[in-house]
Amino acid sequence: MPKWSLRRRPGRTLGLLLLLVLSFLVLRRLNWTSVLPLWLQRQRLGLRTKGPNFMLEDSTFQILGGSIHYFRVPREYWRDRLLKLKACGLNTLTTYVPWNLHEPERGKFDFSGNLDLEAFIWLAAKIGLWVILRPGPYICSEIDLGGLPSWLLQDPDMKLRTTYPGFTKAVDLYFDHLMSRVVPLQYKHGGPIIAVQVENEYGSYNGDHAYMPYIKKALEDRGIIEMLLTSDNKDGLEKGVVDGVLATINLQSQQELVALNSILLSIQGIQPKMVMEYWTGWFDSWGGSHNILDSSDYDAILTEAGDYTAKYTKLRELFGTFSGVPPPPPPELTAKMVYEPVTPSFYLSLWDALLYMDKPITSEIPINMENLPVNNGNGQAFGYVLYETTIFSSGVLSGLVRDRGQVFLNRVSIGFLDYTTTKITIPLTQGYTILRILVENRGRVNYGNNIDSQRKGLIGNLYLNNKPLKNFKIYSLDMTKQFFQRFDMDKWSVVPKEITFPAFFLGTLSVGIYPSDTFLKLEGWVKGVVLVNDHNLGRYWNVGPQETLYLPGVWLDKGLNKVIIFEETMAGSMVQSTDIPHLGRNQYVN
């Protein structure tokens, strides 16, 4: 057959030319950058600096940001919280990424449900928010061990937040997985992420000069191409600087802002000034007072339950003046409800519950929580550990208990060991006696130079009259959903008149057609944990200052809802419900 040529087919040539012209006209009317593949589009500049200003593409850009931590808000409420952030006049979302929650076991990753980072970021984009991501690996964030997995502490020589090989090997594996999810979400790939933070407040820790360059390279090697930022408070700002990374500041007052501005100017010259964290509150400690300050300088804009604060109104008015355009109307508040009190109907003492647990771990000496051979060799992260051994004499019991251990002879409580009480007298016993210590992990510190020593349980030997005790049985009581699945209904009994503590209590919360948010109040109870429909609401303790636990309505079902309480020492007659929190924390939007 003869070869086809334009010269032989003038009609076809004219048709091709008309098709090209028509295509050009259509593409002019279309947003053709959304049709063409990325490699054919013009290069996007992304967020950058130009003198004292941020630039996004060719326009000056002002970052008005707020923090919402997806892992602390029920997924069903993400949209509500993000819309409230947008309605405050903010244009940028910042969020941490908690390594300990995403990799609960070494090499086993969880980005599902409430941990679906990608869904959260795309939702923010849909609402019209840019995103600054703060992936750590250390995030502080008032979270256990600053977001580092507790299984890292299985290594007795572990040096967290350094280039110690045991740490960097774990970070590399985590970043391999995390960044494969994050890279497509970047601005230059069509996503909302305009900047990424390098670690968090490392200047005040400053344990290894090679560490921050290592983290920067780890991000870049895995495809992070957006602007990089550091974030430091006044104690670490000068030591936290990294070449090629814009320094930002964390503070709590306007007085600090003036001082830190001058430090920033001396460190990096004329660059945009950015406050990464304008602290919204301070954490409470059990037994202490509730920390709250004037909203003119220091407060969160939303409560834990998503309610507006006085600060919200003030900031909304302020940010509205910056743009000249009124922000969208704030969403309606989620409904709150007072339900009928929960009266526990069933009971199971801890000592009886041991019969239904996995076979105890046997060991010649005590094993700390992180090194227990549970969870596929990853140890235990949270909850309690029960240690048992036998003794044959009285005397002085001593040892390092982290953080609080209730001591029993057989089933009788004789006192507590903790940071301040390291010794307790064992009364006269006759013959064979079971010594038990129920140790509670009250949370690993999230900040400071002693994070390497945050192992929990019994640390080292337990001594009676300065002689180490041997031959322990150890029970892992992590208070998870899987833990409570051991207790079928036939394991529970009706609550007796004489209760043996510690004990589990089971009751039901009756909910109508429309489940709503509420707060549980445990008057008459002393110390323990509450779970509703397998959701762990947290700890309660009558020393305060916290008096209620937030229960999101989306965790409730129409009809009867299962409530389990683990109480250490004394039970109340009921669990009350209220629509008003008592000394609740405002820590979700910063």
Side-chain angles (χ1 to χ4, degrees), residues 140 142 201 233 235 251-252 256 277-285 289-293 298-300 446-447 545 583-587 590:
C140 188
E142 286 69 58
E201 293 187 334
N233 58 26
D235 297 326
L251 47 79
Q252 72 178 55
E256 284 184 312
E277 297 179 15
Y278 194 94
W279 296 326
T280 61
W282 200 247
F283 49 81
D284 293 339
S285 298
S289 59
H290 178 54
N291 290 294
I292 189 167
L293 294 170
Y298 195 73
D299 195 11
N446 65 292
Y447 181 83
L583 303 184
R585 293 181 59 201
N586 305 332
Q587 286 291 335
N590 297 333

PDB file of all heavy atoms in Angstrom, residues 140 142 201 233 235 251-252 256 277-285 289-293 298-300 446-447 545 583-587 590:
ATOM      1  N   CYS A 140       5.808  16.742  70.747  1.00  0.00           N
ATOM      2  CA  CYS A 140       5.449  17.326  72.046  1.00  0.00           C
ATOM      3  C   CYS A 140       3.940  17.179  72.252  1.00  0.00           C
ATOM      4  O   CYS A 140       3.471  16.156  72.706  1.00  0.00           O
ATOM      5  CB  CYS A 140       5.904  18.773  72.162  1.00  0.00           C
ATOM      6  SG  CYS A 140       5.678  19.460  73.821  1.00  0.00           S
ATOM      7  N   GLU A 142       1.603  17.683  74.256  1.00  0.00           N
ATOM      8  CA  GLU A 142       0.966  17.153  75.466  1.00  0.00           C
ATOM      9  C   GLU A 142       0.455  15.731  75.248  1.00  0.00           C
ATOM     10  O   GLU A 142      -0.574  15.330  75.794  1.00  0.00           O
ATOM     11  CB  GLU A 142      -0.180  18.058  75.950  1.00  0.00           C
ATOM     12  CG  GLU A 142       0.266  19.342  76.608  1.00  0.00           C
ATOM     13  CD  GLU A 142       0.901  20.327  75.633  1.00  0.00           C
ATOM     14  OE1 GLU A 142       0.249  20.709  74.660  1.00  0.00           O
ATOM     15  OE2 GLU A 142       2.075  20.703  75.837  1.00  0.00           O
ATOM     16  N   GLU A 201      10.559  22.105  68.349  1.00  0.00           N
ATOM     17  CA  GLU A 201      11.234  22.709  69.497  1.00  0.00           C
ATOM     18  C   GLU A 201      12.534  21.982  69.862  1.00  0.00           C
ATOM     19  O   GLU A 201      12.799  21.721  71.042  1.00  0.00           O
ATOM     20  CB  GLU A 201      10.291  22.749  70.709  1.00  0.00           C
ATOM     21  CG  GLU A 201       9.113  23.680  70.505  1.00  0.00           C
ATOM     22  CD  GLU A 201       8.259  23.873  71.745  1.00  0.00           C
ATOM     23  OE1 GLU A 201       8.247  22.965  72.608  1.00  0.00           O
ATOM     24  OE2 GLU A 201       7.624  24.923  71.879  1.00  0.00           O
ATOM     25  N   ASN A 233      10.670  27.722  71.091  1.00  0.00           N
ATOM     26  CA  ASN A 233      10.305  28.718  72.090  1.00  0.00           C
ATOM     27  C   ASN A 233      11.533  29.553  72.446  1.00  0.00           C
ATOM     28  O   ASN A 233      12.617  29.379  71.882  1.00  0.00           O
ATOM     29  CB  ASN A 233       9.692  28.045  73.323  1.00  0.00           C
ATOM     30  CG  ASN A 233      10.637  27.034  73.950  1.00  0.00           C
ATOM     31  OD1 ASN A 233      11.862  27.133  73.813  1.00  0.00           O
ATOM     32  ND2 ASN A 233      10.090  26.058  74.644  1.00  0.00           N
ATOM     33  N   ASP A 235      13.508  29.481  74.882  1.00  0.00           N
ATOM     34  CA  ASP A 235      14.662  28.770  75.423  1.00  0.00           C
ATOM     35  C   ASP A 235      15.517  28.119  74.350  1.00  0.00           C
ATOM     36  O   ASP A 235      16.683  27.816  74.594  1.00  0.00           O
ATOM     37  CB  ASP A 235      14.196  27.680  76.408  1.00  0.00           C
ATOM     38  CG  ASP A 235      13.495  28.275  77.609  1.00  0.00           C
ATOM     39  OD1 ASP A 235      13.882  29.378  78.026  1.00  0.00           O
ATOM     40  OD2 ASP A 235      12.556  27.643  78.127  1.00  0.00           O
ATOM     41  N   LEU A 251       5.211  31.019  71.579  1.00  0.00           N
ATOM     42  CA  LEU A 251       5.175  31.919  72.729  1.00  0.00           C
ATOM     43  C   LEU A 251       3.778  32.014  73.287  1.00  0.00           C
ATOM     44  O   LEU A 251       2.833  31.431  72.763  1.00  0.00           O
ATOM     45  CB  LEU A 251       5.700  33.299  72.339  1.00  0.00           C
ATOM     46  CG  LEU A 251       5.169  33.923  71.026  1.00  0.00           C
ATOM     47  CD1 LEU A 251       3.798  34.517  71.224  1.00  0.00           C
ATOM     48  CD2 LEU A 251       6.122  34.983  70.524  1.00  0.00           C
ATOM     49  N   GLN A 252       3.648  32.810  74.378  1.00  0.00           N
ATOM     50  CA  GLN A 252       2.351  32.940  75.013  1.00  0.00           C
ATOM     51  C   GLN A 252       1.955  34.370  75.330  1.00  0.00           C
ATOM     52  O   GLN A 252       0.859  34.598  75.834  1.00  0.00           O
ATOM     53  CB  GLN A 252       2.312  32.123  76.302  1.00  0.00           C
ATOM     54  CG  GLN A 252       3.141  32.719  77.435  1.00  0.00           C
ATOM     55  CD  GLN A 252       3.051  31.920  78.718  1.00  0.00           C
ATOM     56  OE1 GLN A 252       3.322  30.733  78.704  1.00  0.00           O
ATOM     57  NE2 GLN A 252       2.671  32.565  79.802  1.00  0.00           N
ATOM     58  N   GLU A 256       6.745  38.511  75.045  1.00  0.00           N
ATOM     59  CA  GLU A 256       7.697  37.568  74.456  1.00  0.00           C
ATOM     60  C   GLU A 256       7.868  37.820  72.966  1.00  0.00           C
ATOM     61  O   GLU A 256       8.947  37.649  72.413  1.00  0.00           O
ATOM     62  CB  GLU A 256       7.221  36.131  74.679  1.00  0.00           C
ATOM     63  CG  GLU A 256       7.421  35.610  76.088  1.00  0.00           C
ATOM     64  CD  GLU A 256       7.012  34.151  76.181  1.00  0.00           C
ATOM     65  OE1 GLU A 256       5.923  33.799  75.700  1.00  0.00           O
ATOM     66  OE2 GLU A 256       7.785  33.365  76.740  1.00  0.00           O
ATOM     67  N   GLU A 277       3.217  28.693  67.210  1.00  0.00           N
ATOM     68  CA  GLU A 277       2.318  28.382  68.318  1.00  0.00           C
ATOM     69  C   GLU A 277       2.144  29.619  69.185  1.00  0.00           C
ATOM     70  O   GLU A 277       3.101  30.070  69.803  1.00  0.00           O
ATOM     71  CB  GLU A 277       2.875  27.252  69.189  1.00  0.00           C
ATOM     72  CG  GLU A 277       3.038  25.919  68.490  1.00  0.00           C
ATOM     73  CD  GLU A 277       3.613  24.858  69.410  1.00  0.00           C
ATOM     74  OE1 GLU A 277       3.618  25.086  70.651  1.00  0.00           O
ATOM     75  OE2 GLU A 277       4.072  23.821  68.910  1.00  0.00           O
ATOM     76  N   TYR A 278       0.933  30.161  69.183  1.00  0.00           N
ATOM     77  CA  TYR A 278       0.589  31.148  70.201  1.00  0.00           C
ATOM     78  C   TYR A 278      -0.224  30.375  71.225  1.00  0.00           C
ATOM     79  O   TYR A 278      -1.399  30.091  71.017  1.00  0.00           O
ATOM     80  CB  TYR A 278      -0.215  32.301  69.604  1.00  0.00           C
ATOM     81  CG  TYR A 278      -0.299  33.489  70.530  1.00  0.00           C
ATOM     82  CD1 TYR A 278       0.614  34.534  70.437  1.00  0.00           C
ATOM     83  CD2 TYR A 278      -1.267  33.562  71.520  1.00  0.00           C
ATOM     84  CE1 TYR A 278       0.554  35.623  71.298  1.00  0.00           C
ATOM     85  CE2 TYR A 278      -1.338  34.627  72.386  1.00  0.00           C
ATOM     86  CZ  TYR A 278      -0.432  35.660  72.269  1.00  0.00           C
ATOM     87  OH  TYR A 278      -0.478  36.728  73.126  1.00  0.00           O
ATOM     88  N   TRP A 279       0.428  30.008  72.315  1.00  0.00           N
ATOM     89  CA  TRP A 279      -0.139  29.015  73.230  1.00  0.00           C
ATOM     90  C   TRP A 279      -1.485  29.445  73.787  1.00  0.00           C
ATOM     91  O   TRP A 279      -1.665  30.571  74.233  1.00  0.00           O
ATOM     92  CB  TRP A 279       0.846  28.727  74.364  1.00  0.00           C
ATOM     93  CG  TRP A 279       2.112  28.109  73.861  1.00  0.00           C
ATOM     94  CD1 TRP A 279       2.251  27.252  72.811  1.00  0.00           C
ATOM     95  CD2 TRP A 279       3.427  28.324  74.369  1.00  0.00           C
ATOM     96  NE1 TRP A 279       3.572  26.899  72.640  1.00  0.00           N
ATOM     97  CE2 TRP A 279       4.320  27.544  73.585  1.00  0.00           C
ATOM     98  CE3 TRP A 279       3.939  29.078  75.422  1.00  0.00           C
ATOM     99  CZ2 TRP A 279       5.691  27.501  73.816  1.00  0.00           C
ATOM    100  CZ3 TRP A 279       5.312  29.034  75.655  1.00  0.00           C
ATOM    101  CH2 TRP A 279       6.169  28.267  74.862  1.00  0.00           C
ATOM    102  N   THR A 280      -2.424  28.509  73.759  1.00  0.00           N
ATOM    103  CA  THR A 280      -3.809  28.819  74.109  1.00  0.00           C
ATOM    104  C   THR A 280      -4.172  28.452  75.530  1.00  0.00           C
ATOM    105  O   THR A 280      -5.264  28.757  75.988  1.00  0.00           O
ATOM    106  CB  THR A 280      -4.751  28.041  73.181  1.00  0.00           C
ATOM    107  OG1 THR A 280      -4.508  26.651  73.371  1.00  0.00           O
ATOM    108  CG2 THR A 280      -4.521  28.405  71.740  1.00  0.00           C
ATOM    109  N   GLY A 281      -3.321  27.770  76.220  1.00  0.00           N
ATOM    110  CA  GLY A 281      -3.639  27.353  77.573  1.00  0.00           C
ATOM    111  C   GLY A 281      -2.471  26.608  78.160  1.00  0.00           C
ATOM    112  O   GLY A 281      -1.434  26.456  77.516  1.00  0.00           O
ATOM    113  N   TRP A 282      -2.632  26.155  79.359  1.00  0.00           N
ATOM    114  CA  TRP A 282      -1.571  25.377  80.001  1.00  0.00           C
ATOM    115  C   TRP A 282      -2.193  24.131  80.593  1.00  0.00           C
ATOM    116  O   TRP A 282      -3.353  24.148  81.008  1.00  0.00           O
ATOM    117  CB  TRP A 282      -0.877  26.202  81.082  1.00  0.00           C
ATOM    118  CG  TRP A 282       0.475  25.652  81.427  1.00  0.00           C
ATOM    119  CD1 TRP A 282       0.852  25.091  82.610  1.00  0.00           C
ATOM    120  CD2 TRP A 282       1.625  25.606  80.583  1.00  0.00           C
ATOM    121  NE1 TRP A 282       2.171  24.693  82.546  1.00  0.00           N
ATOM    122  CE2 TRP A 282       2.675  24.993  81.310  1.00  0.00           C
ATOM    123  CE3 TRP A 282       1.888  26.011  79.268  1.00  0.00           C
ATOM    124  CZ2 TRP A 282       3.947  24.788  80.787  1.00  0.00           C
ATOM    125  CZ3 TRP A 282       3.142  25.812  78.749  1.00  0.00           C
ATOM    126  CH2 TRP A 282       4.157  25.205  79.511  1.00  0.00           C
ATOM    127  N   PHE A 283      -1.428  23.046  80.594  1.00  0.00           N
ATOM    128  CA  PHE A 283      -1.997  21.783  81.064  1.00  0.00           C
ATOM    129  C   PHE A 283      -2.191  21.793  82.572  1.00  0.00           C
ATOM    130  O   PHE A 283      -1.493  22.477  83.314  1.00  0.00           O
ATOM    131  CB  PHE A 283      -1.119  20.599  80.644  1.00  0.00           C
ATOM    132  CG  PHE A 283       0.345  20.765  80.942  1.00  0.00           C
ATOM    133  CD1 PHE A 283       0.836  20.509  82.202  1.00  0.00           C
ATOM    134  CD2 PHE A 283       1.231  21.152  79.949  1.00  0.00           C
ATOM    135  CE1 PHE A 283       2.174  20.642  82.493  1.00  0.00           C
ATOM    136  CE2 PHE A 283       2.583  21.285  80.220  1.00  0.00           C
ATOM    137  CZ  PHE A 283       3.063  21.030  81.495  1.00  0.00           C
ATOM    138  N   ASP A 284      -3.179  21.016  82.989  1.00  0.00           N
ATOM    139  CA  ASP A 284      -3.448  20.830  84.409  1.00  0.00           C
ATOM    140  C   ASP A 284      -2.744  19.575  84.897  1.00  0.00           C
ATOM    141  O   ASP A 284      -2.539  18.632  84.136  1.00  0.00           O
ATOM    142  CB  ASP A 284      -4.948  20.695  84.674  1.00  0.00           C
ATOM    143  CG  ASP A 284      -5.711  21.975  84.396  1.00  0.00           C
ATOM    144  OD1 ASP A 284      -5.079  23.046  84.394  1.00  0.00           O
ATOM    145  OD2 ASP A 284      -6.933  21.896  84.174  1.00  0.00           O
ATOM    146  N   SER A 285      -2.415  19.546  86.179  1.00  0.00           N
ATOM    147  CA  SER A 285      -1.844  18.362  86.806  1.00  0.00           C
ATOM    148  C   SER A 285      -2.805  17.857  87.863  1.00  0.00           C
ATOM    149  O   SER A 285      -3.453  18.651  88.565  1.00  0.00           O
ATOM    150  CB  SER A 285      -0.497  18.692  87.457  1.00  0.00           C
ATOM    151  OG  SER A 285       0.436  19.119  86.489  1.00  0.00           O
ATOM    152  N   SER A 289      -4.357  23.074  90.689  1.00  0.00           N
ATOM    153  CA  SER A 289      -5.453  23.977  90.346  1.00  0.00           C
ATOM    154  C   SER A 289      -5.658  23.982  88.837  1.00  0.00           C
ATOM    155  O   SER A 289      -4.789  23.567  88.072  1.00  0.00           O
ATOM    156  CB  SER A 289      -5.143  25.397  90.842  1.00  0.00           C
ATOM    157  OG  SER A 289      -3.925  25.866  90.247  1.00  0.00           O
ATOM    158  N   HIS A 290      -6.830  24.449  88.425  1.00  0.00           N
ATOM    159  CA  HIS A 290      -7.137  24.546  87.003  1.00  0.00           C
ATOM    160  C   HIS A 290      -6.519  25.825  86.449  1.00  0.00           C
ATOM    161  O   HIS A 290      -6.705  26.906  86.999  1.00  0.00           O
ATOM    162  CB  HIS A 290      -8.653  24.566  86.808  1.00  0.00           C
ATOM    163  CG  HIS A 290      -9.064  24.713  85.379  1.00  0.00           C
ATOM    164  ND1 HIS A 290      -8.620  23.879  84.386  1.00  0.00           N
ATOM    165  CD2 HIS A 290      -9.890  25.608  84.777  1.00  0.00           C
ATOM    166  CE1 HIS A 290      -9.146  24.236  83.223  1.00  0.00           C
ATOM    167  NE2 HIS A 290      -9.917  25.283  83.443  1.00  0.00           N
ATOM    168  N   ASN A 291      -5.762  25.703  85.362  1.00  0.00           N
ATOM    169  CA  ASN A 291      -5.086  26.851  84.771  1.00  0.00           C
ATOM    170  C   ASN A 291      -5.978  27.521  83.735  1.00  0.00           C
ATOM    171  O   ASN A 291      -6.361  26.915  82.740  1.00  0.00           O
ATOM    172  CB  ASN A 291      -3.783  26.405  84.100  1.00  0.00           C
ATOM    173  CG  ASN A 291      -2.745  25.981  85.108  1.00  0.00           C
ATOM    174  OD1 ASN A 291      -2.261  26.789  85.890  1.00  0.00           O
ATOM    175  ND2 ASN A 291      -2.409  24.705  85.115  1.00  0.00           N
ATOM    176  N   ILE A 292      -6.297  28.769  83.980  1.00  0.00           N
ATOM    177  CA  ILE A 292      -7.099  29.530  83.028  1.00  0.00           C
ATOM    178  C   ILE A 292      -6.674  30.991  83.122  1.00  0.00           C
ATOM    179  O   ILE A 292      -6.368  31.500  84.202  1.00  0.00           O
ATOM    180  CB  ILE A 292      -8.605  29.366  83.311  1.00  0.00           C
ATOM    181  CG1 ILE A 292      -9.433  29.975  82.192  1.00  0.00           C
ATOM    182  CG2 ILE A 292      -8.981  29.954  84.662  1.00  0.00           C
ATOM    183  CD1 ILE A 292     -10.890  29.608  82.225  1.00  0.00           C
ATOM    184  N   LEU A 293      -6.606  31.656  81.960  1.00  0.00           N
ATOM    185  CA  LEU A 293      -6.157  33.039  81.919  1.00  0.00           C
ATOM    186  C   LEU A 293      -7.139  33.884  81.116  1.00  0.00           C
ATOM    187  O   LEU A 293      -8.046  33.373  80.462  1.00  0.00           O
ATOM    188  CB  LEU A 293      -4.750  33.133  81.306  1.00  0.00           C
ATOM    189  CG  LEU A 293      -3.635  32.477  82.123  1.00  0.00           C
ATOM    190  CD1 LEU A 293      -2.350  32.415  81.310  1.00  0.00           C
ATOM    191  CD2 LEU A 293      -3.399  33.243  83.414  1.00  0.00           C
ATOM    192  N   TYR A 298      -4.784  34.935  76.149  1.00  0.00           N
ATOM    193  CA  TYR A 298      -4.356  33.546  76.314  1.00  0.00           C
ATOM    194  C   TYR A 298      -5.567  32.669  76.507  1.00  0.00           C
ATOM    195  O   TYR A 298      -6.106  32.567  77.590  1.00  0.00           O
ATOM    196  CB  TYR A 298      -3.450  33.509  77.552  1.00  0.00           C
ATOM    197  CG  TYR A 298      -2.591  32.292  77.764  1.00  0.00           C
ATOM    198  CD1 TYR A 298      -1.482  32.055  76.981  1.00  0.00           C
ATOM    199  CD2 TYR A 298      -2.873  31.419  78.807  1.00  0.00           C
ATOM    200  CE1 TYR A 298      -0.655  30.957  77.229  1.00  0.00           C
ATOM    201  CE2 TYR A 298      -2.052  30.323  79.059  1.00  0.00           C
ATOM    202  CZ  TYR A 298      -0.944  30.104  78.263  1.00  0.00           C
ATOM    203  OH  TYR A 298      -0.134  29.040  78.514  1.00  0.00           O
ATOM    204  N   ASP A 299      -6.043  32.029  75.448  1.00  0.00           N
ATOM    205  CA  ASP A 299      -7.204  31.161  75.579  1.00  0.00           C
ATOM    206  C   ASP A 299      -7.410  30.434  74.262  1.00  0.00           C
ATOM    207  O   ASP A 299      -6.943  30.868  73.216  1.00  0.00           O
ATOM    208  CB  ASP A 299      -8.457  31.993  75.913  1.00  0.00           C
ATOM    209  CG  ASP A 299      -9.608  31.137  76.423  1.00  0.00           C
ATOM    210  OD1 ASP A 299      -9.361  29.952  76.707  1.00  0.00           O
ATOM    211  OD2 ASP A 299     -10.720  31.656  76.532  1.00  0.00           O
ATOM    212  N   ALA A 300      -8.121  29.306  74.296  1.00  0.00           N
ATOM    213  CA  ALA A 300      -8.452  28.577  73.082  1.00  0.00           C
ATOM    214  C   ALA A 300      -9.746  29.123  72.495  1.00  0.00           C
ATOM    215  O   ALA A 300     -10.560  29.720  73.195  1.00  0.00           O
ATOM    216  CB  ALA A 300      -8.605  27.094  73.391  1.00  0.00           C
ATOM    217  N   ASN A 446       6.069  14.494  78.073  1.00  0.00           N
ATOM    218  CA  ASN A 446       6.104  14.816  76.653  1.00  0.00           C
ATOM    219  C   ASN A 446       7.188  15.830  76.303  1.00  0.00           C
ATOM    220  O   ASN A 446       7.384  16.152  75.135  1.00  0.00           O
ATOM    221  CB  ASN A 446       4.753  15.394  76.214  1.00  0.00           C
ATOM    222  CG  ASN A 446       4.464  16.738  76.888  1.00  0.00           C
ATOM    223  OD1 ASN A 446       4.251  16.798  78.084  1.00  0.00           O
ATOM    224  ND2 ASN A 446       4.451  17.808  76.115  1.00  0.00           N
ATOM    225  N   TYR A 447       7.900  16.323  77.330  1.00  0.00           N
ATOM    226  CA  TYR A 447       8.844  17.416  77.065  1.00  0.00           C
ATOM    227  C   TYR A 447       9.947  17.373  78.108  1.00  0.00           C
ATOM    228  O   TYR A 447       9.702  17.033  79.266  1.00  0.00           O
ATOM    229  CB  TYR A 447       8.115  18.768  77.141  1.00  0.00           C
ATOM    230  CG  TYR A 447       8.976  19.970  76.871  1.00  0.00           C
ATOM    231  CD1 TYR A 447       9.231  20.366  75.559  1.00  0.00           C
ATOM    232  CD2 TYR A 447       9.541  20.705  77.903  1.00  0.00           C
ATOM    233  CE1 TYR A 447      10.031  21.466  75.291  1.00  0.00           C
ATOM    234  CE2 TYR A 447      10.339  21.812  77.648  1.00  0.00           C
ATOM    235  CZ  TYR A 447      10.582  22.198  76.345  1.00  0.00           C
ATOM    236  OH  TYR A 447      11.379  23.282  76.082  1.00  0.00           O
ATOM    237  N   PRO A 545      -7.989  18.660  89.135  1.00  0.00           N
ATOM    238  CA  PRO A 545      -9.120  19.582  88.999  1.00  0.00           C
ATOM    239  C   PRO A 545     -10.199  19.132  88.012  1.00  0.00           C
ATOM    240  O   PRO A 545     -11.311  19.627  88.045  1.00  0.00           O
ATOM    241  CB  PRO A 545      -8.458  20.864  88.501  1.00  0.00           C
ATOM    242  CG  PRO A 545      -7.284  20.388  87.705  1.00  0.00           C
ATOM    243  CD  PRO A 545      -6.782  19.160  88.428  1.00  0.00           C
ATOM    244  N   LEU A 583     -14.425  22.254  84.568  1.00  0.00           N
ATOM    245  CA  LEU A 583     -12.977  22.420  84.465  1.00  0.00           C
ATOM    246  C   LEU A 583     -12.397  21.601  83.319  1.00  0.00           C
ATOM    247  O   LEU A 583     -11.303  21.082  83.403  1.00  0.00           O
ATOM    248  CB  LEU A 583     -12.286  22.037  85.779  1.00  0.00           C
ATOM    249  CG  LEU A 583     -12.742  22.795  87.014  1.00  0.00           C
ATOM    250  CD1 LEU A 583     -11.913  22.389  88.227  1.00  0.00           C
ATOM    251  CD2 LEU A 583     -12.658  24.293  86.821  1.00  0.00           C
ATOM    252  N   GLY A 584     -13.155  21.483  82.232  1.00  0.00           N
ATOM    253  CA  GLY A 584     -12.631  20.773  81.056  1.00  0.00           C
ATOM    254  C   GLY A 584     -11.546  21.578  80.383  1.00  0.00           C
ATOM    255  O   GLY A 584     -11.439  22.796  80.539  1.00  0.00           O
ATOM    256  N   ARG A 585     -10.709  20.908  79.591  1.00  0.00           N
ATOM    257  CA  ARG A 585      -9.598  21.580  78.920  1.00  0.00           C
ATOM    258  C   ARG A 585     -10.008  22.033  77.524  1.00  0.00           C
ATOM    259  O   ARG A 585     -10.821  21.407  76.856  1.00  0.00           O
ATOM    260  CB  ARG A 585      -8.398  20.639  78.803  1.00  0.00           C
ATOM    261  CG  ARG A 585      -7.783  20.285  80.141  1.00  0.00           C
ATOM    262  CD  ARG A 585      -6.605  19.372  79.927  1.00  0.00           C
ATOM    263  NE  ARG A 585      -5.631  20.013  79.083  1.00  0.00           N
ATOM    264  CZ  ARG A 585      -4.717  19.350  78.399  1.00  0.00           C
ATOM    265  NH1 ARG A 585      -4.662  18.053  78.463  1.00  0.00           N
ATOM    266  NH2 ARG A 585      -3.839  19.990  77.647  1.00  0.00           N
ATOM    267  N   ASN A 586      -9.425  23.132  77.073  1.00  0.00           N
ATOM    268  CA  ASN A 586      -9.690  23.668  75.737  1.00  0.00           C
ATOM    269  C   ASN A 586      -8.426  23.503  74.900  1.00  0.00           C
ATOM    270  O   ASN A 586      -7.688  24.441  74.674  1.00  0.00           O
ATOM    271  CB  ASN A 586     -10.054  25.158  75.818  1.00  0.00           C
ATOM    272  CG  ASN A 586     -11.206  25.420  76.757  1.00  0.00           C
ATOM    273  OD1 ASN A 586     -12.039  24.551  76.942  1.00  0.00           O
ATOM    274  ND2 ASN A 586     -11.265  26.597  77.350  1.00  0.00           N
ATOM    275  N   GLN A 587      -8.177  22.283  74.434  1.00  0.00           N
ATOM    276  CA  GLN A 587      -6.878  22.006  73.832  1.00  0.00           C
ATOM    277  C   GLN A 587      -6.941  21.547  72.383  1.00  0.00           C
ATOM    278  O   GLN A 587      -5.950  21.117  71.847  1.00  0.00           O
ATOM    279  CB  GLN A 587      -6.156  20.929  74.647  1.00  0.00           C
ATOM    280  CG  GLN A 587      -5.610  21.428  75.974  1.00  0.00           C
ATOM    281  CD  GLN A 587      -4.458  22.381  75.820  1.00  0.00           C
ATOM    282  OE1 GLN A 587      -3.750  22.357  74.834  1.00  0.00           O
ATOM    283  NE2 GLN A 587      -4.269  23.259  76.768  1.00  0.00           N
ATOM    284  N   ASN A 590      -5.830  25.476  68.624  1.00  0.00           N
ATOM    285  CA  ASN A 590      -4.853  26.341  69.289  1.00  0.00           C
ATOM    286  C   ASN A 590      -4.677  27.641  68.525  1.00  0.00           C
ATOM    287  O   ASN A 590      -4.586  27.621  67.323  1.00  0.00           O
ATOM    288  CB  ASN A 590      -3.498  25.640  69.368  1.00  0.00           C
ATOM    289  CG  ASN A 590      -3.576  24.374  70.201  1.00  0.00           C
ATOM    290  OD1 ASN A 590      -4.408  24.273  71.081  1.00  0.00           O
ATOM    291  ND2 ASN A 590      -2.725  23.411  69.917  1.00  0.00           N
TER     292      ASN A 590
END
